[in-house]
Amino acid sequence: MSGADRRPPVRFPRDPAVSWAMPPPLALASHEGRAPGKVILVGEHAVVYGYRAIAASVDLFTTVSLHDRPGRSEVEDTDIWDARLGDALATIIPAEGVGVSISSELPTGCGMGSSAALAVAAVRAAARREGRTASFEECFERGMAIERVFHGNPSGLDHTVSALGCPVIFRRGERAVPLRLAAPIRLVVANTGTPGDTAAMVDLVKARKPEAELLRLGALTEMVAARLALGHPVGPFLHEAHWLLRRIGVSTRELDELCRAMEAAGAEGAKLAGAGGGGIVIAQVTPATEDAVRRAASRQVDDRVYTVSIGG
C-alpha cells in the first residue's frame, strides 16, 4: 500500500506495448478526479433482511491523475497495490497513451470503500481528460464496471455513497436517498488490520436466524436517522448496535476490546462497522474526547487510526 514501496508500473491488459526511445515530456497536463471513502454507520446485516441502513462518505480521499504519454497506458505511481488494478482501470481508460497516478488516504480491505473511491475518482479523471465533468449517473454506471473487477457482483452502495459524497439511508433493492444532518458528527475510526469475510458473516447470520436482534437493528437505524436530522448525539445507539452485532455472532474479541477501550476513553458510543469478523470500529467523539479516544485506539491497533467527519 505504501507509495514509498516502489514497484514496476502496472500495465493495462491490452495489445503489446509500443517501445519508445525517448521518455515522455517532463511537463504534462494532468487531469484529476477525487472521491471519498465511506463507513456504514448503522444497520449492517439487518439491511440484508429488508431493513434500512445508513452509510456515509468520510473525508478521506483517493485521487486519480491522468496525463498523456507515448505508448501503452500504465499506472506509473500508486498507493494501491492490487493485481486487479490494471484490469479495473482498463474498463474506462484507453489501452494506449495514458499515464495514471493514484494517491489514497484510505486503508484497503477494511470496509471503508477504497475500491469504490478509486472507481469514482477514475471516472471523474477520465471525464476531465475529455474536457467535461462526470455526472452522478456516469460515476455510478462506469464505476460499477470497475467495482465488478474487484468484487464480482457488488451492491453498488459503496460507489453510490462515494459519488454522492454525503450520508445516505438505503434499503436493499432501492436507490439510496441522501440523508440530511443538522450538524456534522466526528468519528474516530480504528482499523484492526484483519480483513473481514463479508460472505462468511452473512452466511453465519443466515444460519442463526436472529430475528429479534435484526428487528432491533432495523429500529436503531430509524432512530439514528431521526437524531441526525435533529443534531442529537447517536453514540448510545452505536453502542447498542455493536452489542446486538456481537449477539448475532459477527464481532470478535479484538473488536469488542476496541469498543470498550474507546468508550472508556470518552467516546459517546462505539461499534464495529461493516460485515464484522475483522475490519474497523467507529466511535463518536467530541472535540474534548477526540485525542483521548485516538490514543486509546492506537494502543491496540498502532497507527491504524483515523479521525473523520460525516455530514460536514
Side-chain angles (χ1 to χ4, degrees):
M1 261 193 62
S2 172
D5 182 8
R6 304 293 298 177
R7 306 186 190 186
V10 178
R11 289 186 168 86
F12 287 21
R14 290 291 192 257
D15 297 332
V18 177
S19 62
W20 290 79
M22 297 294 291
L26 293 178
L28 298 171
S30 181
H31 309 277
E32 285 192 354
R34 187 170 180 255
K38 73 95 177 66
V39 294
I40 302 289
L41 195 60
V42 66
E44 55 270 89
H45 287 292
V47 75
V48 177
Y49 296 89
Y51 300 102
R52 296 204 295 179
I54 297 171
S57 61
V58 297
D59 51 353
L60 296 173
F61 295 87
T62 294
T63 301
V64 174
S65 301
L66 307 179
H67 63 263
D68 293 341
R69 56 164 283 131
R72 190 173 182 174
S73 294
E74 289 183 353
V75 179
E76 299 169 341
D77 186 30
T78 180
D79 291 339
I80 299 173
W81 297 105
D82 190 297
R84 299 163 293 185
L85 184 58
D87 288 323
L89 293 175
T91 63
I92 64 165
I93 292 172
E96 300 285 331
V98 181
V100 184
S101 296
I102 302 167
S103 62
S104 184
E105 301 167 335
L106 289 159
T108 59
C110 66
M112 292 190 73
S114 59
S115 66
L118 170 68
V120 174
V123 172
R124 288 173 173 166
R128 287 186 177 173
R129 184 170 177 264
E130 297 170 2
R132 56 188 182 80
T133 300
S135 66
F136 167 78
E137 288 73 17
E138 181 178 4
C139 289
F140 181 83
E141 294 298 333
R142 301 185 78 189
M144 180 68 88
I146 293 177
E147 281 283 81
R148 286 193 181 108
V149 175
F150 289 112
H151 300 297
N153 186 30
S155 68
L157 171 66
D158 284 12
H159 72 282
T160 295
V161 175
S162 185
L164 288 172
C166 67
V168 302
I169 189 163
F170 65 98
R171 193 188 306 274
R172 191 176 187 181
E174 299 178 5
R175 188 161 182 166
V177 177
L179 184 65
R180 182 178 177 84
L181 273 61
I185 65 170
R186 196 82 168 149
L187 300 176
V188 170
V189 182
N191 178 14
T192 64
T194 303
D197 185 333
T198 299
M201 294 295 101
V202 170
D203 287 346
L204 183 152
V205 174
K206 182 178 180 180
R208 292 192 173 193
K209 300 183 177 65
E211 294 179 6
E213 289 83 357
L214 294 171
L215 176 65
R216 180 60 182 171
L217 284 166
L220 286 177
T221 293
E222 304 306 323
M223 287 186 274
V224 168
R227 292 183 69 82
L228 290 172
L230 294 171
H232 294 168
V234 297
F237 298 87
L238 302 186
H239 171 90
E240 182 180 352
H242 177 79
W243 296 101
L244 287 166
L245 291 166
R246 183 178 184 274
R247 281 168 59 181
I248 68 176
V250 299
S251 189
T252 65
R253 178 178 294 179
E254 183 177 21
L255 292 168
D256 293 346
E257 289 176 352
L258 259 177
C259 287
R260 290 190 184 100
M262 294 167 83
E263 290 179 347
E268 297 183 1
K271 65 178 286 290
L272 71 86
I280 61 172
V281 163
I282 60 173
Q284 187 177 11
V285 295
T286 66
T289 62
E290 180 179 314
D291 287 346
V293 174
R294 282 186 62 96
R295 287 194 298 271
S298 295
R299 284 193 285 270
Q300 301 206 32
V301 298
D302 299 322
D303 61 347
R304 297 188 302 272
V305 180
Y306 313 86
T307 305
V308 300
S309 289
I310 288 177

